[in-house]
């Protein structure tokens, strides 16, 4: 019996040590590449089934054998995506996460709260999903539909043949298989990511925030929350006016996309109108200072 107790004690110590290593091993160190994951943020909510956690964020880390860059990069994906957006491409090429690790960066790739491996809970709000034809029109075969003046220039989606960027093409099907449900209200998305992003920086220290598409505004609200920990914001293809009207509907784009339309001045008025409308609905206006013309 004493031997059994001793074995149980050893096993318990091993489990505790492994748990501590998982939580504590989130910063680069050592002389070999490492990867793993942890969660940040979240709180318990009462449900008819009992207490459940909501609003937590999954974080995957990838460290090179030798970190040569001063600050790590936190990659935050866009709408309907998960962190897999940065870990590979639908046609099998390396993703940005691997690329930056090879360049000596420590990389943290997240699944936004309520997305992918960051579980959704109904208390946060309802979710939506892109239908396949909308993905074709807006992202993968924009040149086929010509919904805005520059759409014909979007020809670099990988693949060949008449189904390039469309359903039935194996690369498109791989990409669409990665699409998931997501919170469709940007004010909620920003609130969730602000809290979770701040919790992540509190854990890992100063970092570069890299956002994409839907999360274009998220880098700025995380910067507001942790101004001393956000060293830079890289916004790849960020959302925001005046582009929304061109891609979320089937009507022709507004005139500010025309190079000859009053030197973009209508865009300036549209941005101000958007900010005023957000304020009147009690939402925090997004920062569009870099987009304003005139």
């Amino acid at each position: 019996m004493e031997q059994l107790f001793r074995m149980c004690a050893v096993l318990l110590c091993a489990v505790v040590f492994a748990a501590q290593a998982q939580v504590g091993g989130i910063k680069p160190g050592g002389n070999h590449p490492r990867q793993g994951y942890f969660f940040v943020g979240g709180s318990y909510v009462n449900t008819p089934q009992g207490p459940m956690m909501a609003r937590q964020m999954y974080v995957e880390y990838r460290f090179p054998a030798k970190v040569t860059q001063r600050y790590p990069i936190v990659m935050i994906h866009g709408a309907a995506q998960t962190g897999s957006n940065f870990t590979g491409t639908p046609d099998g090429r390396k993703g940005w996460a691997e690329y930056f690790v090879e360049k000596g960066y420590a990389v943290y790739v997240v699944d936004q709260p309520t997305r992918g491996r960051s579980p959704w809970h109904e208390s946060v709000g309802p979710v939506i999903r892109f239908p396949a034809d909308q993905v074709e029109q807006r992202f993968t075969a924009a040149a086929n539909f010509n919904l805005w003046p520059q759409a014909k220039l979007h020809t670099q989606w990988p693949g060949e043949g008449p189904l390039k960027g469309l359903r039935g093409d194996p690369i498109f099907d791989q990409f669409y298989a990665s699409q998931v449900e997501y919170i469709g209200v940007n004010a909620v998305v920003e609130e969730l990511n602000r809290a979770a992003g701040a919790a992540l920086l509190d854990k890992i220290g100063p970092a570069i925030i890299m956002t994409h598409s839907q999360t274009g505004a998220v880098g700025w609200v995380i910067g507001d929350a942790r101004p001393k920990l956000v060293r830079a914001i890289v916004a790849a293809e960020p959302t925001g006016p005046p582009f929304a009207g061109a891609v979320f509907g089937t009507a022709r784009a507004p005139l500010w996309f025309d190079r000859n339309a009053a030197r973009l001045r209508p865009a300036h008025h549209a941005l101000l109108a958007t900010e005023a409308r957000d304020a009147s609905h009690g939402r925090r206006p997004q920062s569009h200072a870099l987009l304003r013309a005139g």
Side-chain angles (χ1 to χ4, degrees):
M1 182 64 72
E2 182 179 350
Q3 185 177 5
L4 179 61
F5 282 143
R6 196 170 297 162
M7 290 176 60
C8 290
V10 170
L11 180 61
L12 179 60
C13 288
V15 171
V16 170
F17 177 80
Q20 290 176 338
Q22 175 68 16
V23 173
I26 59 172
K27 293 186 178 181
N31 56 3
H32 59 279
R34 288 191 296 136
Q35 65 180 44
Y37 71 91
F38 57 93
F39 288 82
V40 294
S43 59
Y44 287 98
V45 295
N46 293 321
T47 75
Q49 293 78 32
M52 293 186 182
M53 183 174 284
R55 299 169 178 257
Q56 68 268 40
M57 184 168 74
Y58 171 90
V59 184
E60 177 180 314
Y61 59 85
R62 299 180 178 214
F63 303 151
K66 182 178 181 181
V67 175
T68 59
Q69 307 297 334
R70 183 174 182 182
Y71 297 115
I73 297 180
V74 176
M75 298 183 176
I76 308 177
H77 58 83
Q81 289 286 288
T82 66
S84 65
N85 195 192
F86 294 114
T87 59
T89 68
D91 61 336
R93 290 171 290 127
K94 73 174 65 174
W96 285 359
E98 182 180 352
Y99 174 85
F100 279 98
V101 168
E102 290 175 352
K103 298 300 181 182
Y105 286 90
V107 174
Y108 298 86
V109 179
V110 311
D111 282 359
Q112 285 189 44
T114 74
R115 197 90 60 83
R117 291 162 290 189
S118 303
W120 169 81
H121 188 270
E122 60 185 6
S123 64
V124 179
V127 293
I128 60 175
R129 191 179 182 191
F130 286 138
D133 57 353
Q134 190 175 20
V135 173
E136 293 170 340
Q137 294 167 8
R138 292 175 54 187
F139 302 118
T140 63
N144 293 17
F145 301 94
N146 201 32
L147 295 183
W148 64 95
Q150 292 82 12
K152 60 182 179 293
L153 303 177
H154 289 251
T155 60
Q156 297 189 55
W157 182 260
E160 297 178 355
L163 291 179
K164 175 182 175 180
L166 301 171
R167 282 163 284 171
D169 176 77
I171 296 174
F172 175 88
D173 292 343
Q174 279 290 304
F175 177 67
Y176 191 69
S178 73
Q179 300 282 294
V180 299
E181 295 83 357
Y182 70 100
I183 300 291
V185 180
N186 283 338
V188 177
V189 171
E190 291 176 22
E191 176 193 356
L192 292 170
N193 281 284
R194 184 181 193 274
L200 174 57
L201 294 179
D202 289 342
K203 204 172 190 69
I204 67 173
I208 299 165
I209 304 297
M210 181 178 184
T211 60
H212 175 241
S213 193
Q214 180 206 30
T215 54
V218 165
W220 305 108
V221 296
I222 296 175
D224 284 343
R226 294 295 184 271
K228 294 183 179 180
L229 296 180
V230 175
R231 288 295 185 256
I233 296 171
V234 180
E237 302 174 319
T239 56
F243 307 106
V247 294
F248 279 93
T250 57
R252 293 290 297 174
L255 285 179
W256 56 70
F257 274 94
D258 189 335
R259 292 177 181 270
N260 299 320
R263 301 294 298 170
L264 296 179
R265 195 164 296 276
H268 173 74
H269 299 306
L271 293 171
L272 296 180
T274 299
E275 292 182 353
R277 184 173 65 250
D278 286 347
S280 68
H281 285 80
R283 296 193 296 267
R284 179 178 179 174
Q286 298 181 18
S287 174
H288 302 309
L290 297 179
L291 292 175
R292 288 179 180 163

